[in-house]
Amino acid sequence: QVQLVESGGGLVQPGGSLRLSCAASGSGFNIYAMRWYRQAPGKQRELVASISNSGSTNYVDSVKGRFTISRDNPKNTVYLQMNSLKPEDTAVYYCNADITSKVKYDLRPYWGQGTQVTVSS
């Protein structure tokens, strides 16, 4: 059974940085696209950044130039480097990945448990 385990959230002052990590545990699977979403209180979940298995990236306009998504394929891990953080970046951040078994093609999305990021002075 594949699980996505996130780490790296916390409290940071405006202008600060955080790095989120999300590792897929288990074996016998292939990972395709990986993504980071966030959900602020009272708001809908928002796609923040995505990265294909070949490394192509996309970002929501509000984080362009500040956030960087990357992945380490041998480690089955995706990262989100967040710089110049603003109070409006405060949210629960979730990783998401399209994963299939190597034995039988059954591609479907998996979600992490979420990690809280709070930007406040």
Side-chain angles (χ1 to χ4, degrees):
Q1 180 72 15
V2 179
Q3 286 189 319
L4 298 181
V5 180
E6 300 159 358
S7 60
L11 173 64
V12 63
Q13 292 186 342
S17 298
L18 281 175
R19 188 194 195 205
L20 306 183
S21 300
C22 173
S25 64
S27 61
F29 56 86
N30 289 322
I31 304 176
Y32 290 85
M34 304 184 83
R35 308 170 188 90
W36 287 98
Y37 285 78
R38 66 185 178 186
Q39 188 165 20
K43 295 188 176 181
Q44 289 189 332
R45 192 169 295 191
E46 171 188 46
L47 176 60
V48 176
S50 64
I51 184 167
S52 71
N53 54 355
S54 63
S56 298
T57 59
N58 283 287
Y59 301 90
V60 67
D61 285 347
S62 59
V63 308
K64 285 180 180 177
R66 300 188 297 122
F67 290 11
T68 302
I69 189 171
S70 61
R71 64 191 288 170
D72 184 333
N73 289 333
K75 293 184 178 179
N76 294 323
T77 300
V78 63
Y79 306 96
L80 187 67
Q81 177 67 44
M82 305 185 293
N83 299 327
S84 302
L85 282 161
K86 305 175 181 180
E88 51 264 43
D89 295 317
T90 295
V92 178
Y93 284 70
Y94 299 89
C95 71
N96 162 275
D98 296 334
I99 298 175
T100 179
S101 164
K102 289 183 176 179
V103 175
K104 176 183 177 182
Y105 187 78
D106 60 348
L107 190 68
R108 64 183 183 92
Y110 286 76
W111 291 89
Q113 79 283 1
T115 185
Q116 177 70 45
V117 171
T118 302
V119 185
S120 175
S121 55

